[in-house]
């Protein structure tokens, strides 16, 4: 039975195997380097119980209705719920760790220019943190799942100078062989994005802000 089916059975029949799948998803995500700061303050079991009590159990009927006819997306849905929940926890822990101000202190004097800003005024909206965390996870997933040769092919795909890139790194491949490799890489990238439930926005941010640096480092380390 798939993880999707087991999770659905937890919501519909309180199947403990489904709860175990949810717990494993949660523990895998919170144990990633992205959330190390959280585990400096809280035990992961305690964080999971909070997630279960506030995000899972109160919404079981909604989730059942949403996935009643098709359970195939449940794992990805739980992954996304987990990441959104942990983004909030991360922001809260970040607040504690830096001893920042947690709420806006409204100036008593309308003309007071020294009004103290809240933590979120200082760091930006919560969504910015969520996206940044997701992009960091995407970088880790790519590094883990793609070999150097596969990453080099990915770098070729996103390069603005494909002909130069091809002559330098793939000159031994025929056009047909290169095309097939590109198509295989497209498929693998899509599989990674789907498996981890990464958003298109996170992928675009990754391409814009991090891919160039990764590709340059790869070229130097592997091809001089």
């Amino acid at each position: 039975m798939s993880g999707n089916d087991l999770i659905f059975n937890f919501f519909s029949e309180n199947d403990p195997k489904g709860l175990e799948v949810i717990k494993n998803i949660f523990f895998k995500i919170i144990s990633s380097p992205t959330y190390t700061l959280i585990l400096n303050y809280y035990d992961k079991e305690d964080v999971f119980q909070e997630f279960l009590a506030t995000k899972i159990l109160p919404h079981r009927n909604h989730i059942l209705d949403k996935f009643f006819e098709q359970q195939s997306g449940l794992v990805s849905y739980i992954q996304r719920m987990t990441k959104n929940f942990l983004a909030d926890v991360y922001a809260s822990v970040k607040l504690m760790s830096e001893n920042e101000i947690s709420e806006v202190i409204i100036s008593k004097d309308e003309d007071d220019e020294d009004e103290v800003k809240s933590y979120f005024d200082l760091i930006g909206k919560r969504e910015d943190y969520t996206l940044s965390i997701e992009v960091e996870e995407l970088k880790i997933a790519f590094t883990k799942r793609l070999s150097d040769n596969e990453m080099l092919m990915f770098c070729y795909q996103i390069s603005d100078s494909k002909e130069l890139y091809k002559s330098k790194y793939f000159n031994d491949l025929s056009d047909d062989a290169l095309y097939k490799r590109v198509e295989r890489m497209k498929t693998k990238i899509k599989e990674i994005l789907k498996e981890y439930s990464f958003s298109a926005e996170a992928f675009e941010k990754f391409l814009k802000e991090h891919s160039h640096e990764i590709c340059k480092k790869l070229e130097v380390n592997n091809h001089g």
Side-chain angles (χ1 to χ4, degrees):
M1 188 174 291
S2 72
N4 293 309
D5 294 330
L6 289 172
I7 292 173
F8 187 83
N9 287 348
F10 166 71
F11 286 113
S12 61
E13 305 169 13
N14 287 319
D15 186 344
K17 292 181 180 179
L19 177 59
E20 191 65 24
V21 172
I22 295 174
K23 189 173 186 178
N24 288 339
I25 291 172
F26 187 91
F27 277 11
K28 180 179 180 180
I29 294 175
I30 196 175
S31 297
S32 70
T34 304
Y35 302 106
T36 299
L37 186 63
I38 294 176
L39 298 181
N40 288 342
Y41 285 80
Y42 301 115
D43 181 82
K44 63 182 179 180
E45 178 67 36
D46 293 338
V47 183
F48 174 71
Q49 291 302 324
E50 180 70 14
F51 172 68
L52 193 65
T54 61
K55 301 298 181 180
I56 294 295
L57 297 181
H59 304 287
R60 63 188 307 159
N61 289 334
H62 169 75
I63 296 173
L64 275 173
D65 291 341
K66 185 178 182 68
F67 292 96
F68 182 76
E69 295 183 356
Q70 177 60 264
Q71 290 86 53
S72 63
L74 250 176
V75 167
S76 295
Y77 187 77
I78 296 298
Q79 289 173 337
R80 178 56 50 214
M81 288 181 68
T82 298
K83 291 174 183 178
N84 288 340
F85 172 77
L86 290 178
D88 288 334
V89 177
Y90 180 89
S92 175
V93 171
K94 181 82 170 172
L95 169 63
M96 291 189 294
S97 69
E98 296 182 356
N99 197 28
E100 293 281 5
I101 299 168
S102 62
E103 60 184 22
V104 176
I105 300 177
I106 301 176
S107 174
K108 294 181 180 180
D109 226 336
E110 290 184 0
D111 296 325
D112 187 358
E113 296 180 357
D114 296 323
E115 177 181 346
V116 183
K117 294 183 177 181
S118 74
Y119 178 66
F120 284 103
D121 287 330
L122 295 172
I123 66 171
K125 296 180 180 179
R126 168 212 179 258
E127 288 80 3
D128 295 334
Y129 258 104
T130 303
L131 185 59
S132 295
I133 290 172
E134 188 178 359
V135 170
E136 185 63 28
E137 289 180 336
L138 198 157
K139 287 172 58 181
I140 294 171
F142 269 38
T143 302
K144 180 179 178 181
R145 295 289 297 276
L146 299 178
S147 67
D148 283 356
N149 286 336
E150 288 175 326
M151 184 60 79
L152 193 61
M153 178 57 67
F154 171 72
C155 292
Y156 162 76
Q157 289 177 243
I158 63 174
S159 173
D160 293 328
S161 306
K162 283 188 171 57
E163 286 304 318
L164 180 62
Y165 216 101
K166 177 183 176 183
S167 65
K168 189 173 182 180
Y169 300 107
F170 303 110
N171 197 40
D172 58 328
L173 295 179
S174 66
D175 289 344
D176 183 59
L178 182 59
Y179 172 79
K180 289 179 179 179
R181 284 200 189 183
V182 168
E183 291 304 306
R184 285 197 296 269
M185 273 306 303
K186 287 181 181 179
T187 299
K188 188 160 187 175
I189 294 299
K190 289 178 182 178
E191 289 173 351
I192 293 173
L193 297 178
K194 182 178 180 181
E195 178 182 349
Y196 291 89
S197 193
F198 291 126
S199 66
E201 188 178 6
F203 185 56
E204 290 172 2
K205 186 177 178 67
F206 166 76
L207 290 177
K208 181 179 180 180
E209 299 182 1
H210 301 285
S211 60
H212 180 71
E213 177 185 351
I214 292 173
C215 290
K216 281 295 182 184
K217 183 177 180 180
L218 183 66
E219 293 166 19
V220 171
N221 289 346
N222 293 276
H223 298 275

